[in-house]
């Protein structure tokens, strides 16, 4: 899929598109687009847009023209493309033919847990957008085919919604990330060195054991005998998120567990994870889960009840 470089900045007034997740707990939207062969559309008719989610495209039939900051490309059957978070782009139907493809939008950051957190930095796009990874699909046919298959598999799971489909989708997403990581021969996804993680280990352990207490950057930096400003930069460079963002992430993940496994009130849960301001707790929880703590608890218990009834 050859790329034609463009130098004209026509994306400065791109539309900020809000992505409505099909399942708010998976932080993704995936759907297929099918067009008959009786028309085509010019690129200029389609406005530039962007969204905070990463976007994958998988072409099944026909062709799709895509323009991004990096140039213009025409994708054909079997091709895939990744567009980084908040990267302006637009697409069109370049030929009068049947067109069929899948669009997969996802907040990748929400799919990193305790075991995969060291690799969040690789996909955080702190220095380069994930668009740069498209070279993999040009050079590595096997990686392209596997990525294409992963996207279609996620789409199938999201449509059939068989029992455990959330587990299946989460598993495929991790396999997709692993594929990109191991196929990146240019090392654009600079992974975190183990020695840097080991250096941060006292801070990470401290956060885990003191979530219900007040945690400050000053206390964390003193554990490593680093200055306040150097610690801030070092932590974000190593983990891919700021210290405050990491603490908030861990607190909300702990609150999710408490909401599902205890009878504590929402206020008690908030205090249990070290957030004494209820408005702040609701704000952080909704930012991470796209719903309130109460809605989360009701939804999860409802889905659990439906699953149990299905078993019976």
């Amino acid at each position: 899929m050859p790329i034609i470089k463009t130098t004209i900045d026509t994306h400065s007034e791109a539309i900020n598109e809000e992505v409505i997740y099909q399942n708010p707990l998976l932080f993704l939207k995936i759907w297929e687009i099918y067009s008959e062969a009786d028309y085509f559309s010019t690129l200029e008719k389609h406005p530039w847009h962007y969204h905070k989610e990463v976007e994958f495209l998988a072409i099944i039939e026909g062709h799709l023209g895509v323009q991004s900051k990096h140039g213009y490309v025409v994708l054909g059957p079997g091709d895939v493309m990744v567009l980084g978070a908040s990267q302006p782009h637009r697409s069109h139907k370049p030929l009068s033919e049947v067109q069929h493809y899948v669009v997969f939008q996802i907040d990748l950051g929400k799919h990193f847990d305790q075991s995969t957190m060291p690799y969040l930095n690789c996909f955080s796009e702190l220095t380069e957008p994930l668009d740069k990874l498209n070279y993999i699909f040009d050079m590595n046919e096997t990686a392209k085919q596997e990525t294409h298959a992963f996207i279609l598999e996620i789409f199938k799971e999201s449509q059939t919604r068989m029992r455990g489909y959330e587990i299946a989708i989460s598993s495929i997403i991790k396999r997709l990330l692993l594929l990109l990581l191991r196929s990146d021969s240019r090392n654009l996804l600079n992974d975190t060195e183990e020695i840097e993680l080991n250096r941060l280990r006292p801070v990470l352990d401290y956060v885990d054991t003191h979530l219900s207490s007040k945690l400050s950057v000053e206390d964390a930096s003193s554990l490593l005998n680093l200055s306040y400003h150097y610690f801030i930069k070092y932590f974000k460079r190593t983990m891919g998120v700021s210290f405050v963002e990491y603490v908030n992430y861990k607190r909300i993940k702990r609150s999710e567990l408490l909401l599902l496994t205890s009878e504590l009130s929402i206020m008690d849960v908030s205090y249990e994870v070290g957030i004494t301001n209820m408005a702040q707790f609701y704000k952080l929880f909704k930012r991470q889960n796209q719903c309130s703590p109460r809605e989360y608890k009701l939804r999860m218990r409802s889905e659990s009840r439906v699953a149990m009834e299905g078993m019976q």
Side-chain angles (χ1 to χ4, degrees):
M1 52 179 189
I3 294 179
I4 302 174
K5 295 292 184 179
T6 56
T7 57
I8 300 175
D9 179 15
T10 56
H11 54 268
S12 58
E13 296 184 2
I15 299 169
N16 186 352
E17 180 183 274
E18 180 184 4
V19 174
I20 307 300
Y21 301 132
Q22 293 156 332
N23 183 326
L25 302 180
L26 288 174
F27 302 95
L28 61 83
K29 179 181 180 181
I30 186 166
W31 73 102
E32 63 180 339
I33 293 179
Y34 182 88
S35 301
E36 297 291 349
D38 56 352
Y39 82 97
F40 69 95
S41 62
T42 61
L43 187 63
E44 290 70 25
K45 289 185 177 180
H46 299 268
W48 288 91
H49 65 280
Y50 65 95
H51 34 73
K52 66 182 182 64
E53 291 76 14
V54 173
E55 179 171 307
F56 290 88
L57 298 168
I59 312 303
I60 299 173
E61 187 177 4
H63 293 80
L64 176 70
V66 183
Q67 186 177 25
S68 68
K69 291 193 304 181
H70 308 291
Y72 174 82
V73 60
V74 175
L75 306 174
D79 282 339
V80 293
M81 184 177 188
V82 58
L83 295 157
S86 299
Q87 294 299 306
H89 58 279
R90 59 180 177 174
S91 60
H92 73 122
K93 186 171 184 280
L95 300 171
S96 297
E97 61 180 354
V98 171
Q99 182 192 63
H100 186 197
Y101 63 99
V102 170
V103 183
F104 174 38
Q105 298 170 334
I106 179 172
D107 186 343
L108 282 180
K110 297 297 193 297
H111 286 268
F112 287 85
D113 53 29
Q114 187 71 24
S115 64
T116 55
M117 185 62 75
Y119 297 96
L120 173 61
N121 185 50
C122 301
F123 295 92
S124 62
E125 303 184 87
L126 290 176
T127 58
E128 296 283 1
L130 290 182
D131 304 42
K132 295 296 183 69
L133 293 181
N134 285 307
Y135 85 89
I136 294 175
F137 310 131
D138 291 332
M139 298 176 58
N140 189 329
E141 183 66 25
T142 299
K144 182 175 76 170
Q145 292 176 2
E146 290 185 15
T147 300
H148 194 277
F150 283 153
I151 295 171
L152 297 190
E153 194 174 350
I154 292 171
F155 176 67
K156 179 181 177 182
E157 288 287 349
S158 72
Q159 293 298 298
T160 58
R161 298 175 71 92
M162 294 177 62
R163 183 178 176 222
Y165 79 96
E166 300 95 338
I167 299 175
I169 289 177
S170 295
S171 173
I172 301 166
I173 290 170
K174 285 184 171 61
R175 289 161 61 197
L176 173 57
L177 295 178
L178 177 61
L179 174 66
L180 294 175
L181 195 67
R182 290 184 172 176
S183 302
D184 179 24
S185 59
R186 297 179 182 175
N187 198 30
L188 297 179
L189 299 173
N190 296 308
D191 54 338
T192 303
E193 295 290 341
E194 186 173 353
I195 188 171
E196 293 182 326
L197 282 176
N198 287 335
R199 188 182 184 188
L200 277 181
R201 183 56 56 192
V203 172
L204 303 182
D205 291 342
Y206 177 73
V207 170
D208 282 341
T209 56
H210 292 81
L211 276 181
S212 59
S213 308
K214 181 179 179 181
L215 293 168
S216 68
V217 176
E218 290 84 356
D219 291 338
S221 60
S222 66
L223 288 173
L224 303 183
N225 294 317
L226 298 176
S227 71
Y228 176 94
H229 294 291
Y230 182 82
F231 173 79
I232 289 175
K233 295 178 181 178
Y234 180 74
F235 191 95
K236 186 162 188 177
R237 186 176 70 248
T238 303
M239 298 300 293
V241 293
S242 70
F243 176 74
V244 172
E245 289 172 329
Y246 178 78
V247 169
N248 287 336
Y249 170 83
K250 298 290 289 186
R251 281 176 164 159
I252 297 305
K253 297 305 289 185
R254 177 76 61 83
S255 72
E256 293 170 6
L257 182 63
L258 291 173
L259 287 169
L260 297 179
T261 61
S262 75
E263 295 302 323
L264 293 173
S265 68
I266 293 176
M267 180 179 291
D268 288 339
V269 167
S270 175
Y271 277 74
E272 190 70 21
V273 298
I275 305 176
T276 57
N277 184 314
M278 284 298 294
Q280 178 70 357
F281 177 62
Y282 270 81
K283 178 181 178 180
L284 292 173
F285 195 96
K286 192 163 187 178
R287 180 186 300 167
Q288 193 157 307
N289 288 289
Q290 309 300 309
C291 63
S292 70
R294 182 176 182 277
E295 290 169 336
Y296 178 87
K297 187 172 185 176
L298 291 175
R299 179 184 297 130
M300 293 300 290
R301 291 192 172 184
S302 174
E303 290 187 1
S304 176
R305 184 171 60 253
V306 170
M308 290 298 294
E309 291 173 352
M311 291 177 60
Q312 296 171 355

